[in-house]
Amino acid sequence: MRTRPFTDIDLNRSVGNLLRLGVILSVVTSLVGFIKLFSEGFVMPRKYTLLEMGDSSEKVWGHFWNSLCKGEGMAIIQLGILLLILTPLVRIIFALIGYLKEKDYVYVVISTIVLVIMTVSFLTGYAH
């Protein structure tokens, strides 16, 4: 039995499903975080010492991972936001694989360039 070739319609359907899944996963994660946050008795902090100017990204990421491992509601919400931010990056990777399957090398090159630009901007971006 021979399988049918991978087409543009298959790629568009797959990418659409991936984007939907990313948004749904992000919303569900954030909702769980909100429920956990308010069940913990959330109170707005008086001082935002972690967000002071000059804090290194390693310190911020370390605090995020420690909070997430403890199951804190705020960290779960931040994870949901991170999932939402990473969804377009995963979409480009997914499309790149689809273009490789279709042997559409012009779009492979374009997708690779976009992927490199997005990756560099995610890894070197500053919040000023």
Side-chain angles (χ1 to χ4, degrees):
M1 182 178 191
R2 191 168 189 193
T3 60
R4 65 181 182 83
F6 192 75
T7 65
D8 285 340
I9 295 170
D10 297 325
L11 180 61
N12 288 336
R13 188 177 299 123
S14 298
V15 167
N17 288 338
L18 176 73
L19 291 173
R20 262 186 234 96
L21 178 67
V23 170
I24 290 169
L25 192 60
S26 171
V27 168
V28 168
T29 303
S30 296
L31 243 147
V32 167
F34 275 115
I35 292 168
K36 179 92 169 86
L37 182 69
F38 286 108
S39 70
E40 294 169 348
F42 177 70
V43 177
M44 291 295 288
R46 293 189 183 277
K47 291 185 179 181
Y48 292 93
T49 55
L50 275 177
L51 299 177
E52 288 178 359
M53 295 288 283
D55 271 350
S56 67
S57 63
E58 292 86 15
K59 192 174 180 183
V60 172
W61 280 107
H63 178 72
F64 167 70
W65 289 117
N66 288 336
S67 299
L68 189 60
C69 289
K70 292 177 188 172
E72 294 178 10
M74 186 62 76
I76 296 171
I77 293 169
Q78 290 171 337
L79 177 64
I81 294 168
L82 187 62
L83 288 171
L84 189 63
I85 291 170
L86 291 178
T87 298
L89 187 66
V90 175
R91 180 245 185 261
I92 293 170
I93 294 168
F94 203 74
L96 179 64
I97 293 167
Y99 295 138
L100 281 169
K101 282 179 123 180
E102 289 182 343
K103 296 179 173 55
D104 192 347
Y105 297 114
V106 172
Y107 283 108
V108 167
V109 171
I110 292 169
S111 295
T112 303
I113 292 169
V114 171
L115 183 62
V116 167
I117 290 169
M118 285 185 71
T119 303
V120 167
S121 67
F122 280 149
L123 296 176
T124 63
Y126 296 98
H128 290 278

